Amino acid sequence: MHQPKRQAELVEGNLPVFVFPTELIFYADDQSTHKQVLTLYNPYEFALKFKVLCTTPNKYVVVDAAGAVKPQCCVDIVIRHRDVRSCHYGVIDKFRLQVSEQSQRKALGRKEVVATLLPSAKEQQKEEEEKRIKEHLTESLFFEQSCQPASMMSFSRDQSLLITCPKYVRSSLAILASKERSGCTSSRQICSFFWQSMKTELFPQALVY
Protein backbone atom coordinates (compact mmCIF):
# COMPACT_ATOMS: atom_id res chain seq x y z
CA MET A 1 0.00 0.00 0.00
CA HIS A 2 2.84 2.40 0.85
CA GLN A 3 4.91 1.60 -2.27
CA PRO A 4 2.55 3.20 -4.86
CA LYS A 5 2.24 6.33 -2.74
CA ARG A 6 6.00 6.64 -2.44
CA GLN A 7 6.43 6.07 -6.19
CA ALA A 8 3.89 8.81 -6.92
CA GLU A 9 5.76 11.24 -4.68
CA LEU A 10 9.08 10.37 -6.29
CA VAL A 11 7.76 10.71 -9.83
CA GLU A 12 5.79 13.90 -9.33
CA GLY A 13 8.61 15.61 -7.44
CA ASN A 14 6.33 16.80 -4.61
CA LEU A 15 8.04 15.03 -1.74
CA PRO A 16 7.47 17.13 1.43
CA VAL A 17 10.69 18.64 2.77
CA PHE A 18 10.96 19.33 6.49
CA VAL A 19 13.23 22.23 7.47
CA PHE A 20 13.42 24.31 10.63
CA PRO A 21 13.32 27.26 10.93
CA THR A 22 11.58 28.53 7.81
CA GLU A 23 12.85 32.10 8.32
CA LEU A 24 16.29 33.45 9.14
CA ILE A 25 16.73 36.91 10.68
CA PHE A 26 20.18 38.45 10.99
CA TYR A 27 20.84 41.60 13.07
CA ALA A 28 23.70 43.84 12.02
CA ASP A 29 24.43 45.03 15.58
CA ASP A 30 24.42 41.50 17.05
CA GLN A 31 27.32 39.42 15.77
CA SER A 32 25.96 36.28 17.42
CA THR A 33 23.09 36.28 14.91
CA HIS A 34 25.39 36.41 11.89
CA LYS A 35 25.56 32.62 12.05
CA GLN A 36 22.30 30.69 11.73
CA VAL A 37 21.56 26.97 11.63
CA LEU A 38 19.04 25.22 9.41
CA THR A 39 18.02 21.70 10.36
CA LEU A 40 16.91 19.35 7.60
CA TYR A 41 14.87 16.33 8.74
CA ASN A 42 14.47 13.05 6.89
CA PRO A 43 11.45 11.17 8.30
CA TYR A 44 11.43 8.70 5.40
CA GLU A 45 12.70 5.14 5.24
CA PHE A 46 15.21 5.90 2.50
CA ALA A 47 18.25 8.20 2.38
CA LEU A 48 18.09 11.65 0.82
CA LYS A 49 20.62 13.83 -0.91
CA PHE A 50 20.27 17.58 -0.44
CA LYS A 51 21.59 20.74 -2.04
CA VAL A 52 21.30 24.35 -0.82
CA LEU A 53 20.72 27.10 -3.40
CA CYS A 54 20.49 30.86 -2.76
CA THR A 55 19.23 33.92 -4.63
CA THR A 56 22.29 35.95 -3.49
CA PRO A 57 25.12 33.49 -2.82
CA ASN A 58 27.74 36.25 -2.60
CA LYS A 59 26.21 37.50 0.69
CA TYR A 60 26.35 34.16 2.52
CA VAL A 61 28.64 31.29 3.33
CA VAL A 62 26.92 27.90 3.54
CA VAL A 63 28.84 25.18 5.32
CA ASP A 64 28.10 21.78 3.75
CA ALA A 65 25.87 23.18 1.00
CA ALA A 66 25.41 19.63 -0.29
CA GLY A 67 25.28 16.29 1.45
CA ALA A 68 23.13 13.36 2.50
CA VAL A 69 20.69 12.57 5.29
CA LYS A 70 20.23 9.03 6.54
CA PRO A 71 16.71 7.62 6.95
CA GLN A 72 14.88 9.04 9.99
CA CYS A 73 17.79 11.33 10.82
CA CYS A 74 18.57 15.03 10.52
CA VAL A 75 21.48 17.25 9.58
CA ASP A 76 22.43 20.81 10.55
CA ILE A 77 23.36 23.30 7.83
CA VAL A 78 25.30 26.36 9.02
CA ILE A 79 24.69 29.64 7.19
CA ARG A 80 26.83 32.73 7.82
CA HIS A 81 26.01 36.26 6.69
CA ARG A 82 29.17 37.93 5.48
CA ASP A 83 27.89 41.28 4.21
CA VAL A 84 25.99 43.24 6.88
CA ARG A 85 26.20 46.65 5.25
CA SER A 86 23.27 49.03 5.70
CA CYS A 87 22.40 48.84 1.99
CA HIS A 88 21.17 45.27 2.63
CA TYR A 89 18.81 46.17 5.50
CA GLY A 90 15.32 44.86 4.91
CA VAL A 91 16.23 42.98 1.73
CA ILE A 92 14.59 39.55 1.59
CA ASP A 93 16.81 36.75 0.27
CA LYS A 94 15.79 33.15 -0.26
CA PHE A 95 17.41 29.78 0.24
CA ARG A 96 16.08 26.70 -1.49
CA LEU A 97 16.74 23.21 -0.18
CA GLN A 98 16.38 20.54 -2.84
CA VAL A 99 16.28 16.86 -1.95
CA SER A 100 16.60 13.81 -4.14
CA GLU A 101 17.05 10.09 -3.77
CA GLN A 102 20.59 8.81 -3.52
CA SER A 103 20.55 7.11 -6.92
CA GLN A 104 18.81 9.93 -8.80
CA ARG A 105 19.64 13.48 -9.85
CA LYS A 106 16.09 14.75 -10.26
CA ALA A 107 14.82 16.81 -7.33
CA LEU A 108 12.05 15.01 -5.48
CA GLY A 109 11.08 17.98 -3.34
CA ARG A 110 12.09 21.49 -2.38
CA LYS A 111 11.61 23.95 0.45
CA GLU A 112 12.31 27.68 0.49
CA VAL A 113 13.59 29.62 3.50
CA VAL A 114 13.59 33.42 3.60
CA ALA A 115 16.46 35.40 5.10
CA THR A 116 16.43 39.06 6.16
CA LEU A 117 19.08 41.42 7.53
CA LEU A 118 17.82 44.02 10.04
CA PRO A 119 19.80 46.84 11.68
CA SER A 120 18.89 46.11 15.31
CA ALA A 121 16.96 43.61 17.39
CA LYS A 122 15.59 46.44 19.56
CA GLU A 123 14.18 48.26 16.55
CA GLN A 124 12.64 45.03 15.34
CA GLN A 125 10.95 44.47 18.70
CA LYS A 126 9.62 48.03 18.65
CA GLU A 127 8.22 47.58 15.13
CA GLU A 128 6.61 44.28 16.09
CA GLU A 129 4.98 45.89 19.12
CA GLU A 130 3.66 48.77 17.01
CA LYS A 131 2.39 46.29 14.44
CA ARG A 132 0.72 44.20 17.14
CA ILE A 133 -1.04 47.29 18.55
CA LYS A 134 -2.14 48.38 15.08
CA GLU A 135 -3.50 44.91 14.28
CA HIS A 136 -5.29 44.82 17.62
CA LEU A 137 -6.96 48.16 16.92
CA THR A 138 -7.86 47.10 13.41
CA GLU A 139 -9.38 43.82 14.52
CA SER A 140 -11.35 45.27 17.43
CA LEU A 141 -15.11 44.91 17.26
CA PHE A 142 -17.32 47.77 18.33
CA PHE A 143 -20.94 47.29 19.32
CA GLU A 144 -23.78 49.75 19.42
CA GLN A 145 -24.46 51.20 22.86
CA SER A 146 -28.01 50.54 23.99
CA CYS A 147 -30.09 53.61 24.84
CA GLN A 148 -31.78 53.77 28.23
CA PRO A 149 -35.24 55.35 28.40
CA ALA A 150 -35.42 58.73 30.15
CA SER A 151 -37.71 57.36 32.84
CA MET A 152 -35.20 54.59 33.64
CA MET A 153 -32.36 57.10 33.82
CA SER A 154 -34.36 59.28 36.24
CA PHE A 155 -35.01 56.29 38.44
CA SER A 156 -31.34 55.28 38.44
CA ARG A 157 -30.27 58.82 39.38
CA ASP A 158 -32.73 58.93 42.27
CA GLN A 159 -31.52 55.54 43.52
CA SER A 160 -27.86 56.56 43.41
CA LEU A 161 -28.63 59.69 45.43
CA LEU A 162 -30.45 57.65 48.06
CA ILE A 163 -27.44 55.37 48.49
CA THR A 164 -24.86 58.13 49.03
CA CYS A 165 -26.90 60.66 51.05
CA PRO A 166 -27.33 60.78 54.83
CA LYS A 167 -30.39 59.10 56.27
CA TYR A 168 -32.28 62.32 57.02
CA VAL A 169 -31.78 63.42 53.38
CA ARG A 170 -32.88 60.11 51.87
CA SER A 171 -36.46 60.37 52.99
CA SER A 172 -36.75 63.92 51.70
CA LEU A 173 -35.22 63.00 48.36
CA ALA A 174 -37.49 60.02 48.06
CA ILE A 175 -40.46 62.36 48.50
CA LEU A 176 -39.11 64.84 45.97
CA ALA A 177 -38.31 62.08 43.47
CA SER A 178 -41.86 60.81 43.80
CA LYS A 179 -43.17 64.34 43.17
CA GLU A 180 -40.88 64.71 40.13
CA ARG A 181 -42.28 61.59 38.54
CA SER A 182 -45.79 62.92 39.14
CA GLY A 183 -44.79 66.27 37.60
CA CYS A 184 -45.04 68.32 40.81
CA THR A 185 -41.33 69.00 41.31
CA SER A 186 -38.56 69.83 38.81
CA SER A 187 -35.08 68.31 38.64
CA ARG A 188 -33.59 71.74 39.44
CA GLN A 189 -35.47 71.86 42.76
CA ILE A 190 -34.19 68.40 43.68
CA CYS A 191 -30.58 69.35 42.93
CA SER A 192 -30.90 72.59 44.91
CA PHE A 193 -32.38 70.80 47.90
CA PHE A 194 -29.70 68.08 47.74
CA TRP A 195 -26.88 70.64 47.67
CA GLN A 196 -28.28 72.60 50.63
CA SER A 197 -28.71 69.38 52.62
CA MET A 198 -25.13 68.23 51.92
CA LYS A 199 -23.72 71.63 52.93
CA THR A 200 -25.58 71.39 56.22
CA GLU A 201 -24.26 67.86 56.82
CA LEU A 202 -20.64 68.52 55.82
CA PHE A 203 -20.27 72.10 57.12
CA PRO A 204 -22.58 72.51 60.13
CA GLN A 205 -20.87 75.79 61.11
CA ALA A 206 -21.54 77.39 57.73
CA LEU A 207 -24.61 79.48 57.22
CA VAL A 208 -26.99 78.01 54.66
CA TYR A 209 -29.18 80.48 52.88
Side-chain angles (χ1 to χ4, degrees):
M1 292 297 293
H2 297 287
Q3 190 69 17
K5 182 178 179 181
R6 177 191 167 186
Q7 290 298 331
E9 290 175 340
L10 298 182
V11 172
E12 296 172 6
N14 60 352
L15 187 74
V17 178
F18 301 93
V19 181
F20 182 84
T22 57
E23 181 181 11
L24 301 176
I25 300 179
F26 302 87
Y27 297 106
D29 65 344
D30 187 355
Q31 192 171 359
S32 64
T33 66
H34 295 178
K35 182 178 76 172
Q36 304 275 351
V37 178
L38 283 178
T39 303
L40 174 63
Y41 298 89
N42 179 12
Y44 304 106
E45 298 178 356
F46 53 93
L48 290 176
K49 292 191 303 182
F50 71 87
K51 181 185 293 186
V52 181
L53 307 176
C54 183
T55 55
T56 52
N58 58 314
K59 291 165 61 176
Y60 303 91
V61 174
V62 180
V63 180
D64 297 329
V69 192
K70 296 179 180 180
Q72 299 181 355
C73 292
C74 64
V75 63
D76 289 337
I77 304 168
V78 178
I79 298 177
R80 289 191 178 92
H81 203 306
R82 63 180 182 182
D83 191 352
V84 293
R85 290 178 296 168
S86 59
C87 60
H88 298 311
Y89 290 172
V91 177
I92 297 177
D93 302 320
K94 291 183 179 180
F95 290 93
R96 173 178 289 179
L97 282 83
Q98 292 184 173
V99 299
S100 59
E101 204 170 13
Q102 284 280 16
S103 58
Q104 296 184 5
R105 296 181 60 184
K106 182 180 178 181
L108 302 179
R110 58 181 59 87
K111 183 76 172 183
E112 292 187 353
V113 177
V114 297
T116 311
L117 175 66
L118 298 177
S120 173
K122 293 181 179 179
E123 290 184 9
Q124 173 67 7
Q125 292 174 358
K126 182 179 179 180
E127 290 179 1
E128 289 179 353
E129 180 66 16
E130 291 176 351
K131 182 179 178 182
R132 185 189 66 80
I133 294 174
K134 185 181 294 185
E135 289 177 350
H136 178 74
L137 293 175
T138 303
E139 296 172 358
S140 298
L141 297 177
F142 294 88
F143 301 94
E144 216 175 286
Q145 180 66 46
S146 58
C147 296
Q148 198 173 25
S151 60
M152 293 286 291
M153 293 177 65
S154 177
F155 176 77
S156 300
R157 179 194 59 201
D158 299 340
Q159 288 294 88
S160 64
L161 289 176
L162 294 178
I163 293 172
T164 56
C165 293
K167 288 183 179 180
Y168 77 93
V169 181
R170 293 183 190 176
S171 58
S172 300
L173 282 178
I175 295 172
L176 288 174
S178 176
K179 288 183 179 182
E180 182 198 15
R181 286 191 288 270
S182 63
C184 299
T185 307
S186 65
S187 298
R188 182 177 296 179
Q189 288 175 312
I190 289 180
C191 293
S192 177
F193 178 82
F194 171 72
W195 173 240
Q196 294 293 337
S197 301
M198 290 302 295
K199 286 170 67 177
T200 305
E201 174 67 16
L202 298 175
F203 310 104
Q205 292 83 7
L207 295 177
V208 180
Y209 295 97

